[in-house]
mmCIF file of all heavy atoms in Angstrom:
data_model
loop_
_atom_site.group_PDB
_atom_site.id
_atom_site.type_symbol
_atom_site.label_atom_id
_atom_site.label_comp_id
_atom_site.label_asym_id
_atom_site.label_seq_id
_atom_site.Cartn_x
_atom_site.Cartn_y
_atom_site.Cartn_z
ATOM 1 N N ALA A 1 111.564 5.790 87.377
ATOM 2 C CA ALA A 1 111.728 4.283 87.362
ATOM 3 C C ALA A 1 113.029 3.895 86.728
ATOM 4 O O ALA A 1 113.340 4.472 85.683
ATOM 5 C CB ALA A 1 110.635 3.642 86.623
ATOM 6 N N GLU A 2 113.845 2.982 87.207
ATOM 7 C CA GLU A 2 115.178 2.609 86.757
ATOM 8 C C GLU A 2 115.116 1.100 86.484
ATOM 9 O O GLU A 2 116.082 0.519 85.851
ATOM 10 C CB GLU A 2 116.245 3.029 87.562
ATOM 11 C CG GLU A 2 116.322 4.551 87.735
ATOM 12 C CD GLU A 2 117.444 5.007 88.609
ATOM 13 O OE1 GLU A 2 118.037 4.100 89.371
ATOM 14 O OE2 GLU A 2 117.759 6.188 88.726
ATOM 15 N N GLY A 3 114.199 0.238 87.178
ATOM 16 C CA GLY A 3 114.348 -1.186 87.030
ATOM 17 C C GLY A 3 113.341 -1.707 86.091
ATOM 18 O O GLY A 3 113.039 -1.161 84.979
ATOM 19 N N TRP A 4 112.643 -2.749 86.503
ATOM 20 C CA TRP A 4 111.620 -3.500 85.637
ATOM 21 C C TRP A 4 110.493 -2.438 85.224
ATOM 22 O O TRP A 4 109.813 -2.779 84.275
ATOM 23 C CB TRP A 4 111.130 -4.633 86.299
ATOM 24 C CG TRP A 4 110.372 -4.506 87.525
ATOM 25 C CD1 TRP A 4 110.879 -4.496 88.801
ATOM 26 C CD2 TRP A 4 108.958 -4.121 87.744
ATOM 27 N NE1 TRP A 4 109.952 -4.189 89.788
ATOM 28 C CE2 TRP A 4 108.738 -3.912 89.115
ATOM 29 C CE3 TRP A 4 108.003 -3.976 86.862
ATOM 30 C CZ2 TRP A 4 107.426 -3.620 89.555
ATOM 31 C CZ3 TRP A 4 106.735 -3.570 87.392
ATOM 32 C CH2 TRP A 4 106.494 -3.426 88.612
ATOM 33 N N ASP A 5 110.246 -1.593 85.988
ATOM 34 C CA ASP A 5 109.068 -0.732 85.802
ATOM 35 C C ASP A 5 109.493 0.577 84.926
ATOM 36 O O ASP A 5 108.621 1.512 85.005
ATOM 37 C CB ASP A 5 108.366 -0.320 87.168
ATOM 38 C CG ASP A 5 109.331 0.373 88.089
ATOM 39 O OD1 ASP A 5 110.561 0.338 87.844
ATOM 40 O OD2 ASP A 5 108.820 1.099 89.088
ATOM 41 N N ALA A 6 110.695 0.571 84.292
ATOM 42 C CA ALA A 6 110.935 1.620 83.514
ATOM 43 C C ALA A 6 110.508 1.367 82.034
ATOM 44 O O ALA A 6 110.968 0.706 81.251
ATOM 45 C CB ALA A 6 112.550 1.756 83.368
ATOM 46 N N PHE A 7 109.268 1.903 81.765
ATOM 47 C CA PHE A 7 108.533 1.514 80.564
ATOM 48 C C PHE A 7 108.912 2.575 79.444
ATOM 49 O O PHE A 7 109.202 3.658 79.750
ATOM 50 C CB PHE A 7 107.074 1.476 80.813
ATOM 51 C CG PHE A 7 106.608 0.356 81.843
ATOM 52 C CD1 PHE A 7 106.052 0.894 83.050
ATOM 53 C CD2 PHE A 7 106.670 -0.909 81.634
ATOM 54 C CE1 PHE A 7 105.669 0.020 83.977
ATOM 55 C CE2 PHE A 7 106.357 -1.885 82.580
ATOM 56 C CZ PHE A 7 105.804 -1.263 83.734
ATOM 57 N N THR A 8 108.825 2.013 78.154
ATOM 58 C CA THR A 8 108.991 2.907 77.038
ATOM 59 C C THR A 8 107.742 3.300 76.318
ATOM 60 O O THR A 8 107.546 4.474 76.112
ATOM 61 C CB THR A 8 109.993 2.216 76.088
ATOM 62 O OG1 THR A 8 111.248 1.811 76.732
ATOM 63 C CG2 THR A 8 110.346 3.026 74.727
ATOM 64 N N GLU A 9 106.976 2.343 75.775
ATOM 65 C CA GLU A 9 105.784 2.553 75.130
ATOM 66 C C GLU A 9 104.768 1.407 75.513
ATOM 67 O O GLU A 9 105.085 0.215 75.142
ATOM 68 C CB GLU A 9 105.991 2.663 73.661
ATOM 69 C CG GLU A 9 104.603 3.022 72.869
ATOM 70 C CD GLU A 9 104.964 3.046 71.341
ATOM 71 O OE1 GLU A 9 106.108 3.121 70.955
ATOM 72 O OE2 GLU A 9 103.922 3.210 70.702
ATOM 73 N N ILE A 10 103.750 1.776 76.220
ATOM 74 C CA ILE A 10 102.783 0.701 76.642
ATOM 75 C C ILE A 10 101.774 0.464 75.392
ATOM 76 O O ILE A 10 101.138 1.352 74.920
ATOM 77 C CB ILE A 10 101.983 1.128 77.781
ATOM 78 C CG1 ILE A 10 102.915 1.522 78.914
ATOM 79 C CG2 ILE A 10 101.048 -0.050 78.212
ATOM 80 C CD1 ILE A 10 103.749 0.542 79.365
ATOM 81 N N ALA A 11 101.929 -0.682 74.856
ATOM 82 C CA ALA A 11 101.082 -1.070 73.666
ATOM 83 C C ALA A 11 99.808 -1.800 74.010
ATOM 84 O O ALA A 11 98.772 -1.612 73.426
ATOM 85 C CB ALA A 11 101.893 -2.030 72.691
ATOM 86 N N ASP A 12 99.833 -2.619 75.147
ATOM 87 C CA ASP A 12 98.573 -3.342 75.544
ATOM 88 C C ASP A 12 98.545 -3.407 77.155
ATOM 89 O O ASP A 12 99.664 -3.681 77.756
ATOM 90 C CB ASP A 12 98.669 -4.775 74.999
ATOM 91 C CG ASP A 12 98.152 -4.702 73.641
ATOM 92 O OD1 ASP A 12 97.201 -4.162 73.120
ATOM 93 O OD2 ASP A 12 98.870 -5.403 72.719
ATOM 94 N N LEU A 13 97.441 -3.376 77.723
ATOM 95 C CA LEU A 13 97.177 -3.746 79.025
ATOM 96 C C LEU A 13 96.081 -4.640 79.297
ATOM 97 O O LEU A 13 94.919 -4.406 78.478
ATOM 98 C CB LEU A 13 96.862 -2.331 79.826
ATOM 99 C CG LEU A 13 97.960 -1.336 80.178
ATOM 100 C CD1 LEU A 13 97.288 -0.264 81.035
ATOM 101 C CD2 LEU A 13 99.045 -1.951 81.080
ATOM 102 N N ASP A 14 96.036 -5.489 80.132
ATOM 103 C CA ASP A 14 94.867 -6.441 80.348
ATOM 104 C C ASP A 14 94.987 -7.048 81.690
ATOM 105 O O ASP A 14 96.177 -7.325 82.147
ATOM 106 C CB ASP A 14 94.884 -7.508 79.220
ATOM 107 C CG ASP A 14 93.402 -7.934 78.966
ATOM 108 O OD1 ASP A 14 92.403 -7.368 79.640
ATOM 109 O OD2 ASP A 14 93.315 -8.904 78.196
ATOM 110 N N PHE A 15 93.934 -7.434 82.250
ATOM 111 C CA PHE A 15 93.839 -8.170 83.596
ATOM 112 C C PHE A 15 93.340 -9.587 83.386
ATOM 113 O O PHE A 15 92.612 -10.037 82.533
ATOM 114 C CB PHE A 15 92.779 -7.482 84.407
ATOM 115 C CG PHE A 15 93.087 -6.122 85.061
ATOM 116 C CD1 PHE A 15 92.719 -5.004 84.367
ATOM 117 C CD2 PHE A 15 93.749 -6.061 86.196
ATOM 118 C CE1 PHE A 15 93.156 -3.751 84.877
ATOM 119 C CE2 PHE A 15 94.100 -4.840 86.723
ATOM 120 C CZ PHE A 15 93.744 -3.571 86.172
ATOM 121 N N ASP A 16 93.780 -10.524 84.358
ATOM 122 C CA ASP A 16 93.251 -11.778 84.460
ATOM 123 C C ASP A 16 92.197 -11.804 85.609
ATOM 124 O O ASP A 16 91.871 -10.702 86.180
ATOM 125 C CB ASP A 16 94.193 -12.915 84.679
ATOM 126 C CG ASP A 16 95.054 -12.769 85.954
ATOM 127 O OD1 ASP A 16 94.643 -12.067 86.778
ATOM 128 O OD2 ASP A 16 96.167 -13.412 85.992
ATOM 129 N N ALA A 17 91.648 -12.857 85.740
ATOM 130 C CA ALA A 17 90.515 -12.995 86.817
ATOM 131 C C ALA A 17 90.982 -12.724 88.216
ATOM 132 O O ALA A 17 90.179 -12.487 89.025
ATOM 133 C CB ALA A 17 89.791 -14.347 86.696
ATOM 134 N N GLY A 18 92.290 -12.873 88.451
ATOM 135 C CA GLY A 18 92.811 -12.821 89.805
ATOM 136 C C GLY A 18 93.360 -11.373 90.038
ATOM 137 O O GLY A 18 93.943 -11.120 91.097
ATOM 138 N N GLY A 19 93.157 -10.379 89.086
ATOM 139 C CA GLY A 19 93.542 -9.096 89.284
ATOM 140 C C GLY A 19 94.985 -8.809 89.010
ATOM 141 O O GLY A 19 95.409 -7.709 89.064
ATOM 142 N N ARG A 20 95.615 -9.788 88.400
ATOM 143 C CA ARG A 20 97.049 -9.477 87.858
ATOM 144 C C ARG A 20 96.961 -8.615 86.662
ATOM 145 O O ARG A 20 96.089 -8.995 85.689
ATOM 146 C CB ARG A 20 97.828 -10.730 87.639
ATOM 147 C CG ARG A 20 98.264 -11.472 88.904
ATOM 148 C CD ARG A 20 98.865 -12.908 88.544
ATOM 149 N NE ARG A 20 97.952 -13.782 87.923
ATOM 150 C CZ ARG A 20 97.643 -15.040 88.413
ATOM 151 N NH1 ARG A 20 98.330 -15.371 89.455
ATOM 152 N NH2 ARG A 20 96.899 -15.831 87.811
ATOM 153 N N LEU A 21 97.948 -7.727 86.503
ATOM 154 C CA LEU A 21 97.794 -6.834 85.380
ATOM 155 C C LEU A 21 99.036 -7.215 84.405
ATOM 156 O O LEU A 21 100.131 -7.454 84.898
ATOM 157 C CB LEU A 21 98.176 -5.368 85.805
ATOM 158 C CG LEU A 21 98.186 -4.301 84.630
ATOM 159 C CD1 LEU A 21 96.769 -4.298 83.914
ATOM 160 C CD2 LEU A 21 98.542 -2.959 85.169
ATOM 161 N N TYR A 22 98.803 -7.435 83.112
ATOM 162 C CA TYR A 22 99.752 -7.765 82.046
ATOM 163 C C TYR A 22 100.025 -6.519 81.128
ATOM 164 O O TYR A 22 99.038 -5.948 80.769
ATOM 165 C CB TYR A 22 99.254 -8.908 81.188
ATOM 166 C CG TYR A 22 99.022 -10.133 82.169
ATOM 167 C CD1 TYR A 22 97.894 -10.374 82.910
ATOM 168 C CD2 TYR A 22 99.977 -11.182 82.160
ATOM 169 C CE1 TYR A 22 97.669 -11.482 83.670
ATOM 170 C CE2 TYR A 22 99.740 -12.303 82.879
ATOM 171 C CZ TYR A 22 98.574 -12.518 83.780
ATOM 172 O OH TYR A 22 98.443 -13.574 84.477
ATOM 173 N N ILE A 23 101.284 -6.320 80.981
ATOM 174 C CA ILE A 23 101.652 -5.060 80.327
ATOM 175 C C ILE A 23 102.668 -5.552 79.086
ATOM 176 O O ILE A 23 103.532 -6.266 79.290
ATOM 177 C CB ILE A 23 102.559 -4.088 81.265
ATOM 178 C CG1 ILE A 23 101.658 -3.832 82.479
ATOM 179 C CG2 ILE A 23 102.926 -2.885 80.479
ATOM 180 C CD1 ILE A 23 102.472 -3.461 83.621
ATOM 181 N N ARG A 24 102.279 -5.067 77.868
ATOM 182 C CA ARG A 24 103.119 -5.131 76.806
ATOM 183 C C ARG A 24 103.877 -3.838 76.535
ATOM 184 O O ARG A 24 103.233 -2.867 76.277
ATOM 185 C CB ARG A 24 102.401 -5.566 75.585
ATOM 186 C CG ARG A 24 103.296 -5.562 74.229
ATOM 187 C CD ARG A 24 102.685 -6.349 73.112
ATOM 188 N NE ARG A 24 101.641 -5.720 72.390
ATOM 189 C CZ ARG A 24 101.758 -5.032 71.198
ATOM 190 N NH1 ARG A 24 102.941 -5.070 70.775
ATOM 191 N NH2 ARG A 24 100.755 -4.484 70.750
ATOM 192 N N ASP A 25 105.176 -3.860 76.656
ATOM 193 C CA ASP A 25 106.022 -2.593 76.567
ATOM 194 C C ASP A 25 106.857 -2.872 75.365
ATOM 195 O O ASP A 25 107.652 -3.811 75.167
ATOM 196 C CB ASP A 25 106.855 -2.528 77.760
ATOM 197 C CG ASP A 25 107.712 -1.204 77.724
ATOM 198 O OD1 ASP A 25 107.222 -0.203 77.141
ATOM 199 O OD2 ASP A 25 108.858 -1.243 78.308
ATOM 200 N N GLU A 26 106.788 -1.795 74.323
ATOM 201 C CA GLU A 26 107.584 -1.897 73.209
ATOM 202 C C GLU A 26 108.656 -0.808 73.258
ATOM 203 O O GLU A 26 108.395 0.394 73.579
ATOM 204 C CB GLU A 26 106.565 -1.548 72.010
ATOM 205 C CG GLU A 26 105.547 -2.571 71.723
ATOM 206 C CD GLU A 26 106.072 -3.765 71.094
ATOM 207 O OE1 GLU A 26 107.250 -3.809 70.680
ATOM 208 O OE2 GLU A 26 105.362 -4.832 71.157
ATOM 209 N N ALA A 27 109.880 -1.282 72.953
ATOM 210 C CA ALA A 27 111.105 -0.425 72.810
ATOM 211 C C ALA A 27 111.771 -0.796 71.538
ATOM 212 O O ALA A 27 112.576 -1.811 71.576
ATOM 213 C CB ALA A 27 111.874 -0.617 74.211
ATOM 214 N N GLY A 28 111.690 0.020 70.644
ATOM 215 C CA GLY A 28 112.332 -0.204 69.264
ATOM 216 C C GLY A 28 111.719 -1.472 68.765
ATOM 217 O O GLY A 28 110.476 -1.719 68.362
ATOM 218 N N SER A 29 112.696 -2.428 68.462
ATOM 219 C CA SER A 29 112.335 -3.734 67.833
ATOM 220 C C SER A 29 112.082 -4.766 68.970
ATOM 221 O O SER A 29 111.812 -6.014 68.555
ATOM 222 C CB SER A 29 113.460 -4.144 66.864
ATOM 223 O OG SER A 29 114.533 -4.342 67.572
ATOM 224 N N SER A 30 112.096 -4.451 70.178
ATOM 225 C CA SER A 30 111.837 -5.445 71.182
ATOM 226 C C SER A 30 110.589 -5.333 71.862
ATOM 227 O O SER A 30 110.008 -4.327 71.968
ATOM 228 C CB SER A 30 113.064 -5.313 72.356
ATOM 229 O OG SER A 30 112.887 -4.091 72.940
ATOM 230 N N THR A 31 110.005 -6.532 72.329
ATOM 231 C CA THR A 31 108.651 -6.537 73.049
ATOM 232 C C THR A 31 109.059 -7.189 74.383
ATOM 233 O O THR A 31 109.639 -8.261 74.536
ATOM 234 C CB THR A 31 107.697 -7.420 72.283
ATOM 235 O OG1 THR A 31 107.429 -6.783 71.066
ATOM 236 C CG2 THR A 31 106.417 -7.519 73.100
ATOM 237 N N ARG A 32 108.499 -6.481 75.428
ATOM 238 C CA ARG A 32 108.643 -7.109 76.762
ATOM 239 C C ARG A 32 107.283 -7.212 77.386
ATOM 240 O O ARG A 32 106.390 -6.252 77.404
ATOM 241 C CB ARG A 32 109.574 -6.102 77.556
ATOM 242 C CG ARG A 32 109.808 -6.399 79.084
ATOM 243 C CD ARG A 32 110.837 -5.590 79.696
ATOM 244 N NE ARG A 32 110.247 -4.207 79.731
ATOM 245 C CZ ARG A 32 110.089 -3.470 80.944
ATOM 246 N NH1 ARG A 32 110.332 -4.169 82.112
ATOM 247 N NH2 ARG A 32 109.605 -2.248 80.939
ATOM 248 N N ILE A 33 106.929 -8.396 78.051
ATOM 249 C CA ILE A 33 105.775 -8.545 78.868
ATOM 250 C C ILE A 33 106.028 -8.585 80.261
ATOM 251 O O ILE A 33 106.986 -9.199 80.714
ATOM 252 C CB ILE A 33 105.141 -9.863 78.350
ATOM 253 C CG1 ILE A 33 104.978 -10.115 76.949
ATOM 254 C CG2 ILE A 33 103.745 -10.024 79.047
ATOM 255 C CD1 ILE A 33 104.103 -8.969 76.267
ATOM 256 N N VAL A 34 105.302 -7.677 80.975
ATOM 257 C CA VAL A 34 105.562 -7.559 82.396
ATOM 258 C C VAL A 34 104.271 -7.948 83.162
ATOM 259 O O VAL A 34 103.103 -7.512 82.661
ATOM 260 C CB VAL A 34 105.997 -6.134 82.826
ATOM 261 C CG1 VAL A 34 106.074 -5.896 84.278
ATOM 262 C CG2 VAL A 34 107.217 -5.803 82.068
ATOM 263 N N VAL A 35 104.342 -8.736 84.191
ATOM 264 C CA VAL A 35 103.114 -9.171 84.866
ATOM 265 C C VAL A 35 103.346 -8.555 86.416
ATOM 266 O O VAL A 35 104.308 -8.790 87.052
ATOM 267 C CB VAL A 35 103.160 -10.742 85.024
ATOM 268 C CG1 VAL A 35 101.759 -11.145 85.640
ATOM 269 C CG2 VAL A 35 103.294 -11.365 83.586
ATOM 270 N N VAL A 36 102.319 -7.929 86.879
ATOM 271 C CA VAL A 36 102.294 -7.281 88.121
ATOM 272 C C VAL A 36 101.084 -7.748 88.973
ATOM 273 O O VAL A 36 100.064 -7.902 88.504
ATOM 274 C CB VAL A 36 102.129 -5.737 87.848
ATOM 275 C CG1 VAL A 36 102.164 -5.034 89.344
ATOM 276 C CG2 VAL A 36 103.267 -5.271 87.057
#
């Protein structure tokens, strides 16, 4: 993976009622939330 799906450390995963997946990716001192 080289784009938005290049993850470093997955800290949290969770779904909403519509089946969307929410991902908390930690890279050093930064936090990134990705919705799929």
